[in-house]
Amino acid sequence: MSRALSQGLRARASIVPQDITTLRTGTFVDVSGAQRILAAITVATVAATKKITVQFRQAQDAAGNGAKNLGSPVDKVAPAGGAALDLTVDAKSEQLDPNYSFVSVTLVSDNASAVYGSAMLLLGGNRFNP
């Protein structure tokens, strides 16, 4: 019996569409029970050679207490002529420090003018899917 992709994932909004020329930190999401975490990023047109930077953050609770980076930041540079950018970044729950079970992402661009971006967190390998 085949299973729908949605049955194996939990999707949570982290950053709603907004200007990311200023660093934006998304909502901290409880990742308890998930083994894998994927941030799906979409950004409006970015000028040539300008970039977006994505960084996972971990925290002890939804308020972001004890927040710190999780892994290294990931950059994506716009091609010649500029372009809308999409990118995915992965993490595993085993990378979280003890007593840390909330994850968010930060998103920023060095574009000279306003550019809108958003981030969704997809949680996979779940022990449960509420």
Side-chain angles (χ1 to χ4, degrees):
M1 173 181 215
S2 84
R3 193 169 97 151
L5 184 58
S6 61
Q7 291 176 307
L9 297 173
R10 288 184 283 159
R12 301 291 185 264
S14 184
I15 298 176
V16 298
Q18 59 189 291
D19 179 19
I20 60 165
T21 55
T22 299
L23 180 71
R24 303 295 179 181
T25 299
T27 304
F28 280 93
V29 173
D30 186 356
V31 297
S32 299
Q35 295 176 350
R36 295 179 306 280
I37 306 150
L38 175 105
I41 312 298
T42 186
V43 176
T45 301
V46 176
T49 72
K50 296 300 182 180
K51 68 181 178 184
I52 60 171
T53 302
V54 179
Q55 172 69 62
F56 273 113
R57 303 275 292 161
Q58 61 180 323
Q60 297 167 335
D61 56 33
N65 287 311
K68 57 185 173 179
N69 290 342
L70 175 63
S72 298
V74 176
D75 294 330
K76 185 166 185 179
V77 178
L85 300 176
D86 294 314
L87 120 112
T88 57
V89 182
D90 294 280
K92 294 181 180 179
S93 59
E94 64 197 36
Q95 294 172 278
L96 293 169
D97 288 348
N99 301 317
Y100 283 72
S101 61
F102 289 79
V103 169
S104 180
V105 292
T106 61
L107 187 55
V108 69
S109 175
D110 64 351
N111 204 57
S113 59
V115 62
Y116 278 69
S118 64
M120 288 290 294
L121 294 180
L122 301 174
L123 311 179
N126 303 305
R127 288 185 285 233
F128 58 91
N129 278 326

